[in-house]
Amino acid sequence: MRSVKGSAAITLLLLQCLSILCSSQDFDFFYFVQQWPASYCDTRRSCCYPTTGKPDEDFSIHGLWPNYNSGKYPQNCDRESSLDESKISDLVSRMQKDWPTLACPSGDGMKFWGHEWEKHGTCTSLDQHSYFQAALELKSKANLLQLLGDAGIRPGNFYSLESIKQAIEEGLGYGAYIECNVDPEGNHQLYQVYLCVDTSASSFIQCPVLPHGRGCGNNIEFPSFSSDSQSRDEL
């Protein structure tokens, strides 16, 4: 009788583990999303620089988001799993540089990263360290500022939407979805770049489906994030 009970307990445990594993892997691809900080800040709501200081003039990570081919996405798959700073301690300096928070009030990034882990990371098969490290490595592989610069597209000017998309596709080998927002003068500006990644979070792929983001005009601004840009901290 004891062995039967033990066997049943083991079977139940295996089924629970399998259920968790299946739910965490139940997606088709990732959106890897980077944002342009000047466009985040150059809106009516403005922004707040992180407590570590003003970020570099470079694209920064917004998130690594699992998605379905249907266009829907899983979220908050394990509400008991909160971000443990000790598990990513060796990545924090890179994350402060490449994944800074611009939300108000100013923060050190932990709240932002915790949100990304809880909403998106828990729906993957990656542990906390692997999830954030994968996003950092993807940013290094897709050096958007360099790709655009190589095509003569640099901050401080207006460019055609097609020229920006073409520069990224020719430089990276895969297409991107461009999301715009609007500055206080009503100009459409380059805000976020969506790239698609396989379920291992290691390789870029052609996007199975495009997101439903804010559209762009034919000509969009690539605003500068120079020293004269202001955050709400400075106003």
Side-chain angles (χ1 to χ4, degrees), residues 35-222:
Q35 64 185 9
W36 183 244
S39 297
Y40 184 105
C41 293
D42 190 17
T43 61
R44 294 186 184 278
R45 72 176 184 179
S46 190
C47 70
C48 291
Y49 297 152
T51 54
T52 50
K54 182 181 177 180
D56 294 337
E57 185 171 61
D58 191 8
F59 286 90
S60 62
I61 299 170
H62 185 173
L64 182 62
W65 305 337
N67 275 261
Y68 301 124
N69 288 337
S70 66
K72 297 181 179 180
Y73 57 90
Q75 59 180 321
N76 302 111
C77 296
D78 183 359
R79 296 185 183 275
E80 301 300 317
S81 177
S82 57
L83 182 61
D84 182 348
E85 185 175 358
S86 68
K87 294 181 178 179
I88 60 167
S89 58
D90 62 315
L91 300 176
V92 167
S93 60
R94 286 179 66 189
M95 291 169 68
Q96 288 173 339
K97 177 180 182 296
D98 293 334
W99 203 331
T101 177
L102 290 169
C104 294
S106 296
D108 60 1
M110 289 304 301
K111 182 178 179 181
F112 179 28
W113 306 328
H115 167 78
E116 292 300 309
W117 167 253
E118 291 163 16
K119 183 175 181 179
H120 303 288
T122 58
C123 297
T124 75
S125 59
L126 301 172
D127 60 37
Q128 294 186 12
H129 189 277
S130 298
Y131 176 75
F132 290 104
Q133 185 174 42
L136 292 169
E137 294 304 319
L138 289 168
K139 184 183 185 304
S140 296
K141 289 181 180 179
N143 190 333
L144 294 179
L145 192 62
Q146 180 176 324
L147 292 181
L148 294 174
D150 289 345
I153 299 172
R154 298 180 177 85
N157 293 293
F158 283 78
Y159 300 93
S160 72
L161 174 62
E162 287 306 313
S163 68
I164 292 174
K165 293 168 65 175
Q166 182 178 351
I168 294 173
E169 184 161 10
E170 289 182 353
L172 189 62
Y174 297 97
Y177 175 80
I178 307 299
E179 180 181 2
C180 291
N181 65 5
V182 179
D183 70 12
E185 287 72 44
N187 297 311
H188 283 209
Q189 53 187 4
L190 175 60
Y191 173 44
Q192 296 198 127
V193 177
Y194 289 68
L195 296 167
C196 290
V197 179
D198 66 9
T199 54
S200 70
S202 60
S203 300
F204 293 106
I205 60 173
Q206 292 293 355
C207 286
V209 62
L210 296 177
H212 300 290
R214 285 166 284 190
C216 303
N218 292 329
N219 288 293
I220 60 176
E221 185 178 7
F222 188 17

